[in-house]
Amino acid sequence: MASVSPPGIDHATFQKILQEFSDIVGEDNVSRDASYGSLEGPHGQHTYGDPYVLQAEKGREPSAAIRPSVVSEVQAIVRVANRYKCPLWTVSRGKNLGYGGTSPVVRGSVILDLHRMNKIIEVNEEYAYAIVEPGVSFFDLYKYVQENNLKLWPSCPAIGWGSVLGNTLERGFGYTPNGEHSQQQCGMEVVLPSGEVVRTGMGAMENSKLFALFKGGFGPSIDGLFYQSNLGIVTQLGIHLTPAPEHYMTCGVSVPNEEDLPFLVSTISDLMRRNIITNSPSVSNVLRQCLVSRDSRVLELISPHFGKGCVPEKVLLEVKKLMGWGFWKAQFALYGPVELVKASWTCIERKFSNLQGSILWFKEPTSRTGDFLTTAEVGPEDIPHSGIPNLEPLLLMNYRGPGAGHTCFSPILPPSGRELYAWYQTAKKRTIDAEFDFFADFHIYARYVIAIELVVFKPAEGERCSALYEALLEDAVQQGYSEYRTHVDYMDIISHHFDFNKGTLRKHLQVLKDVLDPNGVVSPGKSGIWNSNMGNVGSPV
């Protein structure tokens, strides 16, 4: 890996900076280049950077990495960075796959890797919350709950090796009723760019017992300033968990035709607004159903087309007919007292009886009337509605070819289903014309839909995938939408979509950046936030 230095810093000065970092955390916890030291990546690598590079010419290579284990070390690192105006790029565990991994916006940034800060500070069974550091993974939290026999079901996303804290700050999500992680966050500890430590909400009161219980605190709430942000480094976070239910039912519904998507989405979102369905259903298309199927007949039909553009529509429809599938499949779960779960399912059946050809099914583990289910009684699931983490979705990338990766185009839309279907038709055509498969990973909430299109590509297809991404962005903006989360290559572009009143929001964030981080050392360019004297260093719009 070629030597890279931070912008504006010569080699000799950079070596001096790295030595000062080494004096803080020890030489074993400093990577003097980006070729080693990270947690293992999807291809077994330990390098820093994006494992799924879209635009190699962008040159987003980090220069080095440093791995603190305690808050005082983070403070000391930030102070050194300020003295030399050395840019840092903060990651919790570096598992932001599909959005840039550990790649910084500014080439030559030093990765501030917080995975060694891995303490579970508290898990409270009675009030159903946890307080964690950035290095705590969803596997770690789940293991802690199991080992201590706690009657809790922590939420987790599809892939469980990421950071609970990091996923929450990126507005990531899981699949239990507390799966909207950003809405379950309560209390933060933050190292500001000056090195000063602040706690938010009730945590601002010394020895408060309400750190993870009441988010508001007193006066203005500042938690939101640290989401998808470069205004501070979050070192602790409180998050609410789902109490273990008395009864659990994992459920699904499929609808027969492509044009039935609006009915499926509008029905589910209405049931969510009425609290009949309380977790976030995910919606898959025929392609995704094929890729997760374990039926040899499915593989026999689709595998001849792997790595050769996209799987033809006629082949997908042939599989759909053979297997008796619907075009769309939604999966969700019901939780609570057995009487409530049964009544909710009856209501759901009645709602979907309005569409001919819809198919509903459910699975129930052993009932625990008057007691609580453990996740061991549920067992692993394709989608972790009970919060059992796994890594199996990583294997889906392999169908495209060796070394394949993915990126996620993640627009956010209204929940009627009409807007989603109109967007989908445009996006599907774009994707197929670019010779990629349209992989639907739609997530329904009561008042919005995250319409993730997961694009799987081989290393040689990165440039073509990037061109598709840019076309999808342009189409979405023309329809009045943008992304809720994006790859580092597109952060500046997305930030300019938020242009009300000549971009007042962006201007005010820049004012805050100038005040809190005048030297621009914390993750410059994150979410399109720059200091006023920096322009868009290394990331032109």
Side-chain angles (χ1 to χ4, degrees):
M1 183 173 286
S3 177
V4 179
S5 293
I9 297 176
D10 61 53
H11 179 75
T13 302
F14 186 43
Q15 295 309 306
K16 184 178 179 182
I17 293 169
L18 293 178
Q19 186 55 52
E20 291 193 36
F21 286 160
S22 178
D23 293 342
I24 296 167
V25 300
E27 185 62 25
D28 288 347
N29 297 307
V30 175
S31 297
R32 290 181 176 261
D33 61 48
S35 66
Y36 65 98
S38 76
L39 292 174
E40 184 174 334
H43 303 310
Q45 78 278 21
H46 290 272
T47 55
Y48 288 96
D50 189 354
Y52 309 142
V53 176
L54 286 171
Q55 303 179 80
E57 73 278 4
K58 288 284 187 179
R60 300 199 188 280
E61 301 91 344
S63 59
I66 181 168
R67 295 175 288 277
S69 63
V70 293
V71 171
S72 60
E73 292 175 351
V74 177
Q75 293 177 277
I77 290 164
V78 168
R79 288 171 179 143
V80 170
N82 270 293
R83 194 157 65 249
Y84 292 97
K85 297 185 179 179
C86 176
L88 305 171
W89 183 263
T90 306
V91 301
S92 296
R93 289 179 56 84
K95 302 303 182 186
N96 199 21
L97 300 182
Y99 297 105
T102 55
S103 179
V105 169
V106 174
R107 184 175 188 264
S109 296
V110 175
I111 303 301
L112 179 59
D113 181 351
L114 305 180
H115 82 252
R116 293 179 64 234
M117 299 181 68
N118 57 6
K119 293 184 181 66
I120 297 174
I121 294 164
E122 181 186 359
V123 178
N124 188 296
E125 181 181 49
E126 181 180 7
Y127 300 138
Y129 70 76
I131 301 174
V132 298
E133 290 187 332
V136 175
S137 72
F138 291 95
F139 278 106
D140 294 332
L141 184 56
Y142 178 79
K143 180 180 178 183
Y144 181 95
V145 167
Q146 299 309 305
E147 288 179 345
N148 290 276
N149 296 313
L150 302 179
K151 296 173 181 176
L152 296 170
W153 286 14
S155 174
C156 73
I159 300 173
W161 63 356
S163 162
V164 175
L165 181 151
N167 176 276
T168 302
L169 295 183
E170 290 297 319
R171 300 193 178 95
F173 53 82
Y175 296 90
T176 72
N178 290 82
E180 202 172 0
H181 295 157
S182 61
Q183 302 304 307
Q184 307 307 319
Q185 175 266 321
C186 186
M188 290 182 183
E189 178 184 87
V190 186
V191 176
L192 297 176
S194 64
E196 190 174 15
V197 178
V198 64
R199 287 186 175 175
T200 68
M202 295 305 299
M205 181 178 180
E206 196 74 42
N207 299 318
S208 173
K209 297 178 181 180
L210 291 157
F211 179 96
L213 291 176
F214 180 64
K215 187 171 181 174
F218 177 75
S221 179
I222 64 171
D223 300 62
L225 292 176
F226 304 108
Y227 279 89
Q228 298 182 348
S229 165
N230 57 10
L231 301 178
I233 299 161
V234 181
T235 53
Q236 279 187 34
L237 180 138
I239 189 161
H240 295 167
L241 311 176
T242 298
E246 175 184 303
H247 195 70
Y248 170 74
M249 179 187 288
T250 182
C251 313
V253 56
S254 67
V255 293
N257 304 309
E258 188 172 26
E259 60 270 23
D260 293 330
L261 182 64
F263 176 85
L264 176 67
V265 173
S266 63
T267 301
I268 288 175
S269 64
D270 180 69
L271 288 165
M272 294 182 74
R273 288 189 293 275
R274 299 177 189 280
N275 293 318
I276 304 299
I277 297 175
T278 57
N279 76 325
S280 167
S282 60
V283 175
S284 58
N285 60 346
V286 177
L287 174 81
R288 181 177 165 194
Q289 294 174 63
C290 286
L291 294 178
V292 301
S293 173
R294 296 174 175 85
D295 193 300
S296 60
R297 295 173 297 169
V298 173
L299 187 62
E300 183 179 338
L301 284 169
I302 65 172
S303 61
H305 306 280
F306 287 172
K308 302 174 183 177
C310 53
V311 179
E313 183 85 357
K314 65 179 182 180
V315 173
L316 296 174
L317 294 178
E318 184 180 351
V319 174
K320 171 181 176 290
K321 182 178 180 180
L322 172 70
M323 302 302 293
W325 292 342
F327 193 97
W328 301 102
K329 179 173 74 171
Q331 293 169 270
F332 54 95
L334 301 175
Y335 313 74
V338 62
E339 298 87 353
L340 181 60
V341 168
K342 299 288 189 183
S344 296
W345 180 247
T346 299
C347 177
I348 292 165
E349 286 184 308
R350 185 173 68 249
K351 287 286 186 179
F352 278 98
S353 67
N354 294 323
L355 178 67
Q356 186 175 2
S358 60
I359 302 170
L360 290 89
W361 67 94
F362 65 86
K363 177 184 174 183
E364 295 174 287
T366 304
S367 180
R368 291 287 184 187
T369 305
D371 198 355
F372 301 97
L373 281 170
T374 66
T375 52
E377 294 171 293
V378 175
E381 302 174 292
D382 290 337
I383 296 178
H385 295 133
S386 61
I388 303 175
N390 70 84
L391 296 177
E392 284 193 14
L394 286 173
L395 301 176
L396 294 178
M397 306 305 112
N398 296 336
Y399 91 91
R400 190 82 183 177
H406 74 277
T407 191
C408 296
F409 181 68
S410 306
I412 194 155
L413 294 88
S416 74
R418 298 184 299 274
E419 298 90 347
L420 176 62
Y421 188 58
W423 168 83
Y424 157 76
Q425 289 178 306
T426 303
K428 179 185 175 183
K429 184 177 187 309
R430 282 280 192 195
T431 304
I432 291 173
D433 287 349
E435 299 185 313
F436 291 103
D437 293 304
F438 191 96
F439 185 118
D441 186 25
F442 302 161
H443 298 267
I444 307 174
Y445 292 86
R447 290 172 178 83
Y448 63 92
V449 173
I450 300 176
I452 295 176
E453 178 186 351
L454 190 146
V455 184
V456 181
F457 64 97
K458 293 179 289 190
E461 297 175 322
E463 186 175 340
R464 184 155 51 87
C465 184
S466 180
L468 168 62
Y469 202 109
E470 291 173 10
L472 291 170
L473 274 176
E474 184 176 342
D475 290 341
V477 171
Q478 291 298 316
Q479 293 172 302
Y481 311 122
S482 189
E483 293 189 280
Y484 92 107
R485 183 179 182 184
T486 197
H487 191 282
V488 291
D489 286 352
Y490 303 104
M491 286 182 173
D492 281 324
I493 295 172
I494 299 302
S495 73
H496 280 74
H497 291 172
F498 294 82
D499 55 0
F500 170 76
N501 196 18
K502 301 179 180 179
T504 306
L505 174 62
R506 193 171 62 254
K507 294 173 185 176
H508 277 71
L509 289 171
Q510 187 170 79
V511 169
L512 288 171
K513 184 67 171 172
D514 284 343
V515 171
L516 293 173
D517 187 10
N519 293 318
V521 298
V522 176
S523 301
K526 170 76 173 179
S527 297
I529 303 170
W530 299 88
N531 290 83
S532 58
N533 63 349
M534 289 186 69
N536 291 29
V537 177
S539 186
V541 175

